[in-house]
Amino acid sequence: MLRVLGVDPGLTRCGVGVVEVAPNRRARLVHVTVVRTPPDMPLEQRLLRIADGIAAEIDEHRPDAVAVERVFAQANVRTVMGTAQAAGLALHAAAARGLPVGLHTPSEVKAAVTGYGNADKRQVQTMIARVLGLDEAPKPADAADALALAVCHAWRLGSPDVAGSRPTNLTPAQRAWRDAQAGTADTPLARAAAAAARPQRGRSASSVGGPRLGA
């Protein structure tokens, strides 16, 4: 079983989710929480609380890898600054413990979980609940996004062939992601997954990107 901790970075709400994924790509929920800080708290204290929260989750659940949302600039510079700061805390916590880190764009995660790179937050919540076999969608959206990041990273660490999974074990979203990676399908789902999987050439942290997972 591969255990991955996902972090949906944010200053007010920082989602942290832990999943375990079997060789056949079946995933189960281990834990999910949201680290919260009040807007009126001094910035350094907010960052300290988030850092402590992420570190505590890593130390308690001992993941094999950490997945963090890749941050791009948006119209609201103040919001993206807070997101980037929280993401940096997650990267630091993982590096300090010698854990490998995966950075994934919102479109990558949406395509991996729903089969569609422009899925909205409700679709992500619904699909991550199905993937994890939950009775209801994780709330708030930050919690679902953290779990989706963890699942996306676990699935992308190895193809179904490497993991020994058969096609009949995969959900439609998983099959679309697999086929897109292999270049063997030409369906709307596979095309969306392929677009999300392509490297973001010529783009930097200051370039304009798509909406965040919870957008």
Side-chain angles (χ1 to χ4, degrees):
M1 296 286 283
L2 176 69
R3 179 171 289 198
V4 179
L5 182 144
V7 178
D8 179 52
L11 268 182
T12 302
R13 295 183 307 275
C14 181
V16 183
V18 185
V19 301
E20 281 188 342
V21 179
N24 66 359
R25 292 163 64 97
R26 290 187 180 275
R28 78 172 187 90
L29 172 67
V30 175
H31 179 73
V32 66
T33 189
V34 176
V35 181
R36 302 173 186 268
T37 68
D40 59 351
M41 177 182 283
L43 176 60
E44 67 274 16
Q45 294 301 318
R46 299 180 77 182
L47 294 175
L48 178 61
R49 179 176 294 186
I50 293 170
D52 288 346
I54 294 173
E57 296 298 326
I58 293 177
D59 291 340
E60 179 177 355
H61 298 289
R62 303 179 66 84
D64 301 301
V66 173
V68 183
E69 180 184 311
R70 186 184 296 276
V71 180
F72 289 103
Q74 299 175 352
N76 190 332
V77 177
R78 183 174 181 179
T79 297
V80 79
M81 282 294 294
T83 301
Q85 289 168 328
L89 297 174
L91 297 176
H92 179 274
R97 291 158 178 78
L99 295 173
V101 175
L103 295 171
H104 302 282
T105 66
S107 293
E108 267 183 15
V109 177
K110 291 175 181 179
V113 175
T114 72
Y116 180 53
N118 289 323
D120 60 31
K121 61 182 179 181
R122 182 173 297 180
Q123 290 172 312
V124 172
Q125 287 177 301
T126 298
M127 285 304 300
I128 200 63
R130 292 180 183 176
V131 167
L132 297 175
L134 306 178
D135 293 333
E136 59 182 20
K139 296 178 181 178
D142 313 85
D145 292 346
L147 292 171
L149 277 156
V151 169
C152 171
H153 187 61
W155 284 349
R156 296 200 69 186
L157 284 178
S159 70
D161 294 337
V162 173
S165 173
R166 296 176 299 173
T168 53
N169 292 334
L170 305 180
T171 67
Q174 289 172 310
R175 287 196 296 271
W177 189 253
R178 176 206 60 190
D179 294 343
Q181 287 181 309
T184 58
D186 186 25
T187 66
L189 289 180
R191 287 195 296 271
R198 283 195 291 268
Q200 300 291 321
R201 295 181 178 178
R203 304 184 72 173
S204 66
S206 61
S207 62
V208 177
R212 294 193 61 217
L213 280 172

